[in-house]
Tab-separated table of all heavy atoms in Angstrom:
chain	number	residue	atom	x	y	z
U	3	ASN	N	2.875	14.187	18.766
U	3	ASN	CA	3.366	13.900	17.431
U	3	ASN	C	2.697	12.656	16.875
U	3	ASN	O	2.649	11.631	17.540
U	3	ASN	CB	4.883	13.662	17.460
U	3	ASN	CG	5.645	14.950	17.589
U	3	ASN	OD1	5.122	16.010	17.278
U	3	ASN	ND2	6.876	14.858	18.055
U	4	SER	N	2.190	12.771	15.702
U	4	SER	CA	1.648	11.590	15.052
U	4	SER	C	2.616	11.176	13.961
U	4	SER	O	3.160	12.008	13.244
U	4	SER	CB	0.262	11.856	14.473
U	4	SER	OG	0.311	12.943	13.581
U	7	THR	N	3.158	6.794	8.200
U	7	THR	CA	3.995	6.114	7.218
U	7	THR	C	3.082	5.548	6.136
U	7	THR	O	1.936	5.196	6.392
U	7	THR	CB	4.809	4.969	7.847
U	7	THR	OG1	3.919	4.101	8.554
U	7	THR	CG2	5.854	5.504	8.793
U	17	GLY	N	-4.823	-9.128	-6.923
U	17	GLY	CA	-3.495	-8.597	-7.188
U	17	GLY	C	-3.414	-7.080	-7.299
U	17	GLY	O	-2.355	-6.547	-7.618
U	18	THR	N	-4.515	-6.394	-7.035
U	18	THR	CA	-4.475	-4.935	-7.077
U	18	THR	C	-3.618	-4.407	-5.929
U	18	THR	O	-3.727	-4.869	-4.795
U	18	THR	CB	-5.901	-4.360	-6.954
U	18	THR	OG1	-6.699	-4.882	-8.002
U	18	THR	CG2	-5.883	-2.838	-7.025
U	21	THR	N	-1.994	1.553	-1.585
U	21	THR	CA	-1.200	2.179	-0.549
U	21	THR	C	-2.156	2.740	0.495
U	21	THR	O	-3.284	3.119	0.193
U	21	THR	CB	-0.327	3.331	-1.084
U	21	THR	OG1	-1.162	4.328	-1.672
U	21	THR	CG2	0.666	2.827	-2.107
U	26	GLU	N	0.040	6.043	13.756
U	26	GLU	CA	0.220	5.463	15.090
U	26	GLU	C	-0.727	6.139	16.076
U	26	GLU	O	-0.917	7.360	16.049
U	26	GLU	CB	1.668	5.663	15.558
U	26	GLU	CG	2.702	5.059	14.636
U	26	GLU	CD	2.706	3.542	14.687
U	26	GLU	OE1	2.186	2.973	15.664
U	26	GLU	OE2	3.222	2.928	13.731
U	27	HIS	N	-1.338	5.337	16.900
U	27	HIS	CA	-2.244	5.871	17.911
U	27	HIS	C	-1.807	5.385	19.280
U	27	HIS	O	-1.127	4.377	19.411
U	27	HIS	CB	-3.678	5.386	17.661
U	27	HIS	CG	-4.365	6.089	16.535
U	27	HIS	ND1	-5.127	7.208	16.712
U	27	HIS	CD2	-4.396	5.823	15.204
U	27	HIS	CE1	-5.599	7.594	15.538
U	27	HIS	NE2	-5.170	6.788	14.607
U	29	GLU	N	-4.184	4.660	21.374
U	29	GLU	CA	-5.256	3.740	21.724
U	29	GLU	C	-5.431	2.722	20.598
U	29	GLU	O	-5.135	3.001	19.443
U	29	GLU	CB	-6.575	4.497	21.918
U	29	GLU	CG	-6.522	5.489	23.064
U	29	GLU	CD	-7.795	6.315	23.133
U	29	GLU	OE1	-8.690	6.085	22.302
U	29	GLU	OE2	-7.871	7.170	24.019
U	30	ALA	N	-5.933	1.587	20.966
U	30	ALA	CA	-6.090	0.520	19.983
U	30	ALA	C	-7.240	0.819	19.037
U	30	ALA	O	-8.279	1.336	19.424
U	30	ALA	CB	-6.322	-0.807	20.687
U	31	HIS	N	-6.999	0.497	17.790
U	31	HIS	CA	-8.027	0.598	16.767
U	31	HIS	C	-8.070	-0.728	16.031
U	31	HIS	O	-7.103	-1.471	16.021
U	31	HIS	CB	-7.685	1.695	15.746
U	31	HIS	CG	-7.837	3.075	16.269
U	31	HIS	ND1	-8.876	3.895	15.929
U	31	HIS	CD2	-7.070	3.782	17.133
U	31	HIS	CE1	-8.750	5.054	16.544
U	31	HIS	NE2	-7.657	5.016	17.285
U	32	SER	N	-9.183	-0.961	15.411
U	32	SER	CA	-9.224	-2.108	14.525
U	32	SER	C	-10.075	-1.751	13.326
U	32	SER	O	-10.942	-0.876	13.387
U	32	SER	CB	-9.791	-3.344	15.229
U	32	SER	OG	-11.137	-3.125	15.585
U	35	PHE	N	-9.866	-3.208	5.350
U	35	PHE	CA	-10.088	-2.552	4.072
U	35	PHE	C	-10.393	-3.604	3.035
U	35	PHE	O	-9.683	-4.594	2.918
U	35	PHE	CB	-8.859	-1.747	3.655
U	35	PHE	CG	-9.000	-1.147	2.278
U	35	PHE	CD1	-9.789	-0.033	2.080
U	35	PHE	CD2	-8.352	-1.719	1.196
U	35	PHE	CE1	-9.940	0.517	0.807
U	35	PHE	CE2	-8.492	-1.178	-0.076
U	35	PHE	CZ	-9.290	-0.058	-0.266
U	38	GLY	N	-11.628	-2.700	-3.769
U	38	GLY	CA	-12.678	-2.111	-4.575
U	38	GLY	C	-12.949	-2.881	-5.858
U	38	GLY	O	-13.952	-2.652	-6.533
U	51	HIS	N	-2.652	1.391	15.965
U	51	HIS	CA	-2.421	2.082	14.702
U	51	HIS	C	-3.687	1.979	13.883
U	51	HIS	O	-4.577	1.182	14.162
U	51	HIS	CB	-1.233	1.481	13.957
U	51	HIS	CG	-1.354	0.004	13.725
U	51	HIS	ND1	-0.863	-0.914	14.612
U	51	HIS	CD2	-1.928	-0.697	12.740
U	51	HIS	CE1	-1.110	-2.131	14.164
U	51	HIS	NE2	-1.765	-2.038	13.029
U	52	HIS	N	-3.754	2.810	12.886
U	52	HIS	CA	-4.933	2.842	12.035
U	52	HIS	C	-4.472	3.122	10.619
U	52	HIS	O	-3.458	3.781	10.416
U	52	HIS	CB	-5.883	3.947	12.525
U	52	HIS	CG	-7.257	3.865	11.923
U	52	HIS	ND1	-8.108	2.817	12.175
U	52	HIS	CD2	-7.925	4.704	11.093
U	52	HIS	CE1	-9.239	3.022	11.511
U	52	HIS	NE2	-9.160	4.149	10.844
U	55	GLY	N	-6.777	6.531	4.042
U	55	GLY	CA	-6.288	7.052	2.773
U	55	GLY	C	-5.934	5.968	1.779
U	55	GLY	O	-4.969	6.097	1.023
U	56	TRP	N	-6.744	4.934	1.759
U	56	TRP	CA	-6.459	3.834	0.829
U	56	TRP	C	-6.582	4.306	-0.616
U	56	TRP	O	-7.558	4.952	-0.984
U	56	TRP	CB	-7.423	2.693	1.088
U	56	TRP	CG	-7.143	1.985	2.378
U	56	TRP	CD1	-7.623	2.323	3.603
U	56	TRP	CD2	-6.308	0.850	2.567
U	56	TRP	NE1	-7.134	1.452	4.551
U	56	TRP	CE2	-6.325	0.538	3.945
U	56	TRP	CE3	-5.537	0.060	1.696
U	56	TRP	CZ2	-5.609	-0.535	4.468
U	56	TRP	CZ3	-4.828	-1.012	2.232
U	56	TRP	CH2	-4.864	-1.302	3.593
U	57	GLN	N	-5.605	3.960	-1.388
U	57	GLN	CA	-5.629	4.310	-2.807
U	57	GLN	C	-5.109	3.149	-3.624
U	57	GLN	O	-4.105	2.533	-3.273
U	57	GLN	CB	-4.751	5.535	-3.082
U	57	GLN	CG	-5.343	6.840	-2.568
U	57	GLN	CD	-4.517	8.018	-3.027
U	57	GLN	OE1	-3.297	7.974	-2.987
U	57	GLN	NE2	-5.173	9.061	-3.473
U	58	ALA	N	-5.802	2.890	-4.695
U	58	ALA	CA	-5.313	1.871	-5.615
U	58	ALA	C	-4.106	2.425	-6.351
U	58	ALA	O	-4.067	3.597	-6.725
U	58	ALA	CB	-6.396	1.459	-6.602
U	59	VAL	N	-3.134	1.587	-6.524
U	59	VAL	CA	-1.926	1.988	-7.231
U	59	VAL	C	-2.070	1.589	-8.682
U	59	VAL	O	-2.400	0.448	-8.994
U	59	VAL	CB	-0.690	1.299	-6.618
U	59	VAL	CG1	0.566	1.677	-7.376
U	59	VAL	CG2	-0.568	1.682	-5.157
U	65	VAL	N	4.953	-3.875	-19.942
U	65	VAL	CA	6.077	-4.015	-20.870
U	65	VAL	C	7.149	-2.994	-20.502
U	65	VAL	O	6.913	-1.789	-20.514
U	65	VAL	CB	5.632	-3.808	-22.324
U	65	VAL	CG1	6.827	-3.869	-23.262
U	65	VAL	CG2	4.583	-4.826	-22.691
U	66	PHE	N	8.267	-3.496	-20.187
U	66	PHE	CA	9.380	-2.599	-19.877
U	66	PHE	C	10.366	-2.528	-21.027
U	66	PHE	O	11.436	-1.970	-20.905
U	66	PHE	CB	10.113	-3.070	-18.623
U	66	PHE	CG	9.395	-2.699	-17.361
U	66	PHE	CD1	8.466	-3.555	-16.804
U	66	PHE	CD2	9.642	-1.482	-16.749
U	66	PHE	CE1	7.794	-3.203	-15.651
U	66	PHE	CE2	8.972	-1.129	-15.600
U	66	PHE	CZ	8.048	-1.987	-15.046
U	67	GLY	N	9.987	-3.108	-22.124
U	67	GLY	CA	10.916	-3.147	-23.236
U	67	GLY	C	11.882	-4.303	-23.092
U	67	GLY	O	11.887	-5.019	-22.100
U	68	ARG	N	12.643	-4.458	-24.081
U	68	ARG	CA	13.602	-5.546	-24.043
U	68	ARG	C	14.721	-5.226	-23.064
U	68	ARG	O	15.020	-4.072	-22.797
U	68	ARG	CB	14.191	-5.762	-25.429
U	68	ARG	CG	13.141	-6.155	-26.438
U	68	ARG	CD	13.743	-6.304	-27.805
U	68	ARG	NE	12.697	-6.593	-28.806
U	68	ARG	CZ	12.945	-6.746	-30.089
U	68	ARG	NH1	14.176	-6.637	-30.522
U	68	ARG	NH2	11.975	-7.003	-30.921
U	73	ILE	N	24.774	-4.317	-24.386
U	73	ILE	CA	25.284	-2.967	-24.645
U	73	ILE	C	26.466	-2.693	-23.722
U	73	ILE	O	26.372	-2.856	-22.518
U	73	ILE	CB	24.177	-1.911	-24.418
U	73	ILE	CG1	23.076	-2.088	-25.445
U	73	ILE	CG2	24.780	-0.513	-24.465
U	73	ILE	CD1	21.905	-1.158	-25.256
U	75	TRP	N	29.151	0.146	-22.606
U	75	TRP	CA	29.428	1.583	-22.646
U	75	TRP	C	30.924	1.816	-22.637
U	75	TRP	O	31.652	1.147	-21.967
U	75	TRP	CB	28.799	2.292	-21.451
U	75	TRP	CG	27.302	2.180	-21.483
U	75	TRP	CD1	26.550	1.272	-20.830
U	75	TRP	CD2	26.384	3.008	-22.220
U	75	TRP	NE1	25.233	1.477	-21.109
U	75	TRP	CE2	25.109	2.517	-21.942
U	75	TRP	CE3	26.568	4.098	-23.087
U	75	TRP	CZ2	23.988	3.103	-22.515
U	75	TRP	CZ3	25.449	4.669	-23.639
U	75	TRP	CH2	24.166	4.171	-23.371
Side-chain angles (χ1 to χ4, degrees):
N3 284 339
S4 56
T7 53
T18 302
T21 59
E26 302 289 341
H27 284 268
E29 297 174 1
H31 288 255
S32 64
F35 175 76
H51 55 269
H52 193 66
W56 289 87
Q57 288 187 317
V59 178
V65 176
F66 281 90
R68 298 178 184 179
I73 294 176
W75 297 96

